Amino acid sequence: MLEMLFVHLCNMREPIAIETFRVAPRPARGAMIKSALKHHASRVTPEQASAILDALKKLEKLSSMRNEIAHGHVSQISKNENDHIIMQGNFLSSTINPMGIWASREDNKKYAHTAAEIDEWRDKVRHERGRIMDVWEAIVTRDQAAKSN
Protein backbone atom coordinates (compact mmCIF):
# COMPACT_ATOMS: atom_id res chain seq x y z
CA MET A 1 0.00 0.00 0.00
CA LEU A 2 2.72 2.50 0.92
CA GLU A 3 4.80 1.39 -2.04
CA MET A 4 1.89 2.02 -4.43
CA LEU A 5 1.45 5.49 -2.93
CA PHE A 6 5.16 6.23 -3.21
CA VAL A 7 5.29 5.04 -6.83
CA HIS A 8 2.38 7.27 -7.81
CA LEU A 9 3.61 10.25 -5.82
CA CYS A 10 6.88 10.03 -7.76
CA ASN A 11 4.89 9.59 -10.96
CA MET A 12 6.72 6.30 -11.58
CA ARG A 13 9.78 8.19 -12.85
CA GLU A 14 12.31 7.30 -10.18
CA PRO A 15 13.11 3.55 -10.45
CA ILE A 16 16.09 3.67 -8.10
CA ALA A 17 14.04 5.44 -5.42
CA ILE A 18 11.24 2.91 -5.87
CA GLU A 19 13.65 -0.02 -5.51
CA THR A 20 15.20 1.61 -2.44
CA PHE A 21 11.73 2.12 -0.95
CA ARG A 22 10.96 -1.56 -1.42
CA VAL A 23 13.93 -2.69 0.71
CA ALA A 24 14.04 0.17 3.24
CA PRO A 25 13.05 -0.32 6.90
CA ARG A 26 9.76 1.20 8.07
CA PRO A 27 11.19 4.50 9.45
CA ALA A 28 13.06 5.13 6.19
CA ARG A 29 9.93 4.42 4.13
CA GLY A 30 8.04 7.00 6.21
CA ALA A 31 10.78 9.56 5.58
CA MET A 32 10.71 8.76 1.85
CA ILE A 33 6.92 9.29 1.71
CA LYS A 34 7.34 12.64 3.49
CA SER A 35 10.07 13.64 1.04
CA ALA A 36 7.93 12.59 -1.93
CA LEU A 37 5.03 14.67 -0.57
CA LYS A 38 7.36 17.67 -0.39
CA HIS A 39 9.06 17.22 -3.78
CA HIS A 40 5.92 16.19 -5.65
CA ALA A 41 3.44 18.43 -3.84
CA SER A 42 1.36 18.96 -6.98
CA ARG A 43 0.39 15.27 -6.95
CA VAL A 44 -1.85 15.68 -3.87
CA THR A 45 -4.02 18.34 -2.30
CA PRO A 46 -2.93 19.84 1.03
CA GLU A 47 -5.78 17.92 2.71
CA GLN A 48 -4.57 14.65 1.18
CA ALA A 49 -0.99 15.30 2.25
CA SER A 50 -2.21 16.04 5.76
CA ALA A 51 -4.27 12.83 5.81
CA ILE A 52 -1.23 10.79 4.75
CA LEU A 53 1.03 12.36 7.36
CA ASP A 54 -1.58 11.87 10.08
CA ALA A 55 -2.15 8.23 9.07
CA LEU A 56 1.62 7.56 9.03
CA LYS A 57 1.93 9.03 12.51
CA LYS A 58 -0.89 6.83 13.82
CA LEU A 59 0.49 3.73 12.10
CA GLU A 60 3.87 4.43 13.71
CA LYS A 61 2.20 4.40 17.14
CA LEU A 62 0.49 1.11 16.29
CA SER A 63 3.72 -0.54 15.10
CA SER A 64 4.95 -1.59 18.54
CA MET A 65 1.84 -3.68 19.12
CA ARG A 66 2.28 -5.15 15.64
CA ASN A 67 5.73 -6.33 16.66
CA GLU A 68 4.39 -7.82 19.90
CA ILE A 69 1.73 -9.69 17.93
CA ALA A 70 4.07 -10.83 15.16
CA HIS A 71 6.77 -12.07 17.53
CA GLY A 72 4.58 -13.30 20.36
CA HIS A 73 3.13 -16.61 21.34
CA VAL A 74 -0.24 -17.74 22.66
CA SER A 75 -0.38 -19.17 26.14
CA GLN A 76 -3.10 -19.97 28.65
CA ILE A 77 -2.88 -17.59 31.59
CA SER A 78 -4.83 -17.34 34.81
CA LYS A 79 -4.15 -14.57 37.32
CA ASN A 80 -5.88 -13.97 40.66
CA GLU A 81 -5.74 -11.00 43.00
CA ASN A 82 -7.54 -11.00 46.35
CA ASP A 83 -9.29 -14.25 45.43
CA HIS A 84 -10.73 -12.69 42.25
CA ILE A 85 -9.85 -13.86 38.77
CA ILE A 86 -8.56 -10.79 36.95
CA MET A 87 -7.11 -12.53 33.91
CA GLN A 88 -7.96 -15.93 32.50
CA GLY A 89 -7.83 -17.43 29.04
CA ASN A 90 -5.58 -17.58 26.02
CA PHE A 91 -3.39 -14.52 25.55
CA LEU A 92 -0.78 -13.48 23.05
CA SER A 93 2.40 -12.41 24.79
CA SER A 94 5.99 -11.80 23.85
CA THR A 95 8.87 -13.81 25.27
CA ILE A 96 11.10 -10.78 25.80
CA ASN A 97 10.18 -8.07 28.28
CA PRO A 98 10.62 -4.34 27.47
CA MET A 99 14.13 -4.42 28.97
CA GLY A 100 15.13 -6.96 26.34
CA ILE A 101 15.46 -9.75 28.91
CA TRP A 102 14.07 -13.21 28.17
CA ALA A 103 10.89 -13.49 30.22
CA SER A 104 8.95 -16.54 31.22
CA ARG A 105 5.35 -16.74 30.12
CA GLU A 106 4.30 -16.44 33.74
CA ASP A 107 6.33 -13.24 34.28
CA ASN A 108 5.13 -11.67 31.06
CA LYS A 109 1.38 -11.39 31.76
CA LYS A 110 1.18 -7.62 31.64
CA TYR A 111 2.31 -7.65 27.99
CA ALA A 112 -0.40 -10.10 26.95
CA HIS A 113 -2.95 -9.30 24.24
CA THR A 114 -6.43 -10.74 24.04
CA ALA A 115 -8.26 -11.55 20.82
CA ALA A 116 -10.45 -8.48 21.39
CA GLU A 117 -7.38 -6.24 21.75
CA ILE A 118 -5.87 -7.68 18.58
CA ASP A 119 -9.16 -7.15 16.72
CA GLU A 120 -9.29 -3.53 17.91
CA TRP A 121 -5.66 -3.00 16.82
CA ARG A 122 -6.39 -4.58 13.40
CA ASP A 123 -9.38 -2.27 12.87
CA LYS A 124 -7.29 0.81 13.71
CA VAL A 125 -4.57 -0.27 11.27
CA ARG A 126 -7.13 -0.95 8.54
CA HIS A 127 -8.68 2.49 9.06
CA GLU A 128 -5.35 4.30 8.69
CA ARG A 129 -4.30 2.17 5.73
CA GLY A 130 -7.68 2.94 4.16
CA ARG A 131 -7.04 6.67 4.47
CA ILE A 132 -3.73 6.23 2.63
CA MET A 133 -5.36 4.06 -0.03
CA ASP A 134 -8.03 6.74 -0.57
CA VAL A 135 -5.30 9.24 -1.45
CA TRP A 136 -3.56 6.73 -3.71
CA GLU A 137 -6.86 6.08 -5.49
CA ALA A 138 -7.40 9.82 -5.98
CA ILE A 139 -3.94 10.17 -7.56
CA VAL A 140 -4.59 7.23 -9.91
CA THR A 141 -8.03 8.61 -10.85
CA ARG A 142 -6.57 12.05 -11.64
CA ASP A 143 -3.78 10.49 -13.71
CA GLN A 144 -6.27 8.41 -15.70
CA ALA A 145 -8.51 11.42 -16.28
CA ALA A 146 -5.54 13.46 -17.51
CA LYS A 147 -4.60 10.72 -19.99
CA SER A 148 -8.18 10.60 -21.30
CA ASN A 149 -8.23 14.32 -22.05
Side-chain angles (χ1 to χ4, degrees):
M1 167 227 25
L2 287 178
E3 182 180 345
M4 293 185 312
L5 174 67
F6 183 75
V7 166
H8 284 88
L9 280 172
C10 297
N11 208 13
M12 296 183 269
R13 293 191 181 133
E14 299 180 23
I16 294 171
I18 294 165
E19 189 62 32
T20 301
F21 187 91
R22 191 171 289 133
V23 298
R26 183 180 30 81
R29 288 191 308 267
M32 291 174 77
I33 292 277
K34 290 173 187 172
S35 179
L37 286 169
K38 184 170 74 172
H39 294 297
H40 303 284
S42 64
R43 304 283 291 144
V44 294
T45 67
E47 294 81 13
Q48 290 169 332
S50 178
I52 291 169
L53 294 173
D54 184 58
L56 288 174
K57 183 188 252 183
K58 289 178 179 172
L59 287 169
E60 177 65 29
K61 288 180 181 177
L62 292 166
S63 68
S64 63
M65 186 168 175
R66 177 259 174 227
N67 292 337
E68 292 168 7
I69 292 167
H71 302 289
H73 67 272
V74 176
S75 57
Q76 190 170 29
I77 296 172
S78 181
K79 184 174 181 181
N80 296 310
E81 283 186 14
N82 301 325
D83 293 328
H84 295 314
I85 296 172
I86 61 167
M87 187 176 187
Q88 185 174 24
N90 292 312
F91 293 85
L92 179 73
S93 59
S94 64
T95 54
I96 296 179
N97 70 20
M99 308 276 228
I101 300 168
W102 194 265
S104 72
R105 293 178 182 190
E106 191 62 27
D107 292 339
N108 217 13
K109 290 178 192 169
K110 73 179 194 176
Y111 304 104
H113 297 293
T114 64
E117 291 168 335
I118 293 169
D119 287 346
E120 180 183 354
W121 170 85
R122 179 205 58 221
D123 293 343
K124 288 177 182 176
V125 169
R126 285 182 176 171
H127 174 74
E128 298 309 326
R129 288 175 58 102
R131 293 174 64 201
I132 292 170
M133 290 173 73
D134 289 345
V135 174
W136 168 77
E137 183 179 14
I139 293 169
V140 171
T141 302
R142 278 193 301 271
D143 288 350
Q144 289 174 348
K147 287 179 183 177
S148 297
N149 295 332

